[in-house]
Amino acid sequence: MPAVLIAVASAATSCTPMRLNDLGHLLQVMGTFLGLSLFSLGGGNTLLTEYHHLSVEQYCWLRPSQFADIYALAEAAPGPSSMIVGLLGMGAGWPEGPGWALLTAYGAEIAILLPSTLLMVVACLSWNRLRDSPWRVAFERGLGPITLGILFAVGVKILKTADTNAAGVVVSLLVCALMLRTRISPLWFMAVAGGLGAFGLINR
Amino acid sequence: MTESLAPGTATPSPPGLRQLFTGMLMVALSAFGGGLSAWSQRIIVEQRHWMSNEEFLTGLTVARLFPGPNQINMAVYVGTFFRGLPGALAALAGMLLVPFTLLMGVGLLYFQFHTLPALDRVLAGVVAAAAGMALSMGFKILDQYWKDPMALLLAAVTFVLMTFFHVRLVPLVLVAGPLAMAWYWPRPSHPPVPQGERR
């Protein structure tokens, strides 16, 4: 009982990591991602602030700097960037050992993809009816501006989470401008900035 | 093979589950340097003649419209097009197998070694670049809304609510989504309609 009280008390001040060796907790995590799946507008990046909230503030799987690292890894790796959910799951399961980390990673990724995949299958099969429906037009035109606002909020959130020194912020703004003005592969920006970090010009 | 140039006709023998899996595996492997959507078009339309270009472009439209990552939705579209739900799962598995396995390897290394000071220093730099990439996402689609004051207002309100009032995503979308949909509901006399029919 005292252990519970300490846990509750510390939860009030800083957050306590959720123990994932309990299968019930794993299912709870998967349930969270299942529920978020259909809110991944604009290609899935709209969920990043929510991922941050869940993994850093609510469940304490990751420290803020780890969240920033994981975001960068998912962006640098080949393949869809939504695979970040696998890394979040891995972070959640890591305290229980690599086996649990992998299990949680696969569970989280399946959970985030399953509902949107099922909806997509239904959409494909009924697209001929949907195409000219007023619902389709209103959804596309109405959710677009909301997606725009969310993406700006995501950008600011990631920038805050990165929490680098002034030189780092300058590099972030420069990369943002270059992403918009040039077609240089972002991997180059990451490589150069990583070098600047290695030499201590960017730190956090 | 030449039949596939006409819209609405697929190959005489549409791909089976195994072919869908290997086809999307090829797309994922080819796209290691980026450009996933260009590679899937090249492989699915030009090399394997599974779909006409129109059918592929319809898929892109559907993939962007519905929730979920665009490239993953595209794989689901291709799979569903030929084999329904089993096809979708086969295509999805093909698309994700190699990149996800690789990312899991990177993740295990990261969680094992991220406390090393040298690695942390490099990551501090990489994170700064990644933050710049995140920041550019909104600006990338800003242009298309520039002439629509209502869209800009909606975006601004969404941004302020999330960033300064810490409103969570799900309640925000559930409230703002229907309001925005009502505003943009197609009406014969309403200006957004011609724009909505552009495509």
Side-chain angles (χ1 to χ4, degrees), chain B residues 40-53:
Chain B
S40 54
Q41 187 163 21
R42 201 168 302 167
I43 289 173
I44 291 161
V45 178
E46 289 167 21
Q47 290 182 5
R48 307 210 169 189
H49 302 281
W50 285 352
M51 285 183 173
S52 70
N53 207 33

Side-chain angles (χ1 to χ4, degrees), chain A residues 167-188:
Chain A
V169 175
V170 170
V171 167
S172 298
L173 296 177
L174 197 64
V175 167
C176 175
L178 289 171
M179 289 289 290
L180 297 168
R181 293 290 163 100
T182 70
R183 304 195 64 181
I184 304 170
S185 164
L187 289 175
W188 287 108

Side-chain angles (χ1 to χ4, degrees), chain B:
Chain B
M1 297 280 260
T2 48
E3 276 176 5
S4 61
L5 293 172
T9 50
T11 40
S13 59
L17 293 181
R18 185 178 299 189
Q19 285 159 299
L20 284 169
F21 176 83
T22 52
M24 294 322 279
L25 188 70
M26 285 307 296
V27 171
L29 289 175
S30 309
F32 255 40
L36 203 60
S37 139
W39 275 106
S40 54
Q41 187 163 21
R42 201 168 302 167
I43 289 173
I44 291 161
V45 178
E46 289 167 21
Q47 290 182 5
R48 307 210 169 189
H49 302 281
W50 285 352
M51 285 183 173
S52 70
N53 207 33
E54 283 92 315
E55 286 163 341
F56 184 86
L57 292 177
T58 301
L60 277 188
T61 308
V62 186
R64 287 194 185 125
L65 177 63
F66 279 86
N70 293 343
Q71 305 100 335
I72 288 181
N73 276 357
M74 192 61 209
V76 172
Y77 172 84
V78 174
T80 309
F81 192 88
F82 296 108
R83 300 283 162 182
L85 181 61
L89 297 179
L92 201 53
M95 165 134 287
L96 282 177
L97 179 73
V98 175
F100 194 72
T101 307
L102 194 79
L103 188 68
M104 289 300 100
V106 171
L108 288 173
L109 289 174
Y110 168 78
F111 283 106
Q112 191 70 254
F113 297 113
H114 74 89
T115 45
L116 295 178
L119 182 60
D120 187 65
R121 278 209 301 275
V122 172
L123 280 172
V126 175
V127 155
M133 292 163 64
L135 210 54
S136 73
M137 292 190 303
F139 289 106
K140 262 188 188 154
I141 61 165
L142 182 59
D143 279 358
Q144 64 197 86
Y145 300 101
W146 202 239
K147 289 187 177 137
D148 181 353
M150 188 60 189
L152 294 178
L153 181 69
L154 272 170
V157 169
T158 302
F159 173 77
V160 168
L161 286 176
M162 286 185 76
T163 304
F164 299 107
F165 294 93
H166 306 287
V167 174
R168 302 274 299 275
L169 179 79
V170 171
L172 182 92
V173 170
L174 288 180
V175 173
L179 289 176
M181 281 178 70
W183 174 265
Y184 285 109
W185 195 265
R187 266 160 292 207
S189 58
H190 200 274
V193 171
Q195 286 180 33
E197 286 172 353
R198 261 182 323 199
R199 56 182 78 231

Side-chain angles (χ1 to χ4, degrees), chain A residues 116-139:
Chain A
S116 65
T117 296
L118 293 178
L119 181 67
M120 186 67 195
V121 169
V122 174
C124 294
L125 296 177
S126 53
W127 179 244
N128 285 333
R129 259 175 302 151
L130 276 175
R131 184 171 45 206
D132 301 316
S133 154
W135 289 94
R136 203 270 306 172
V137 177
F139 182 81

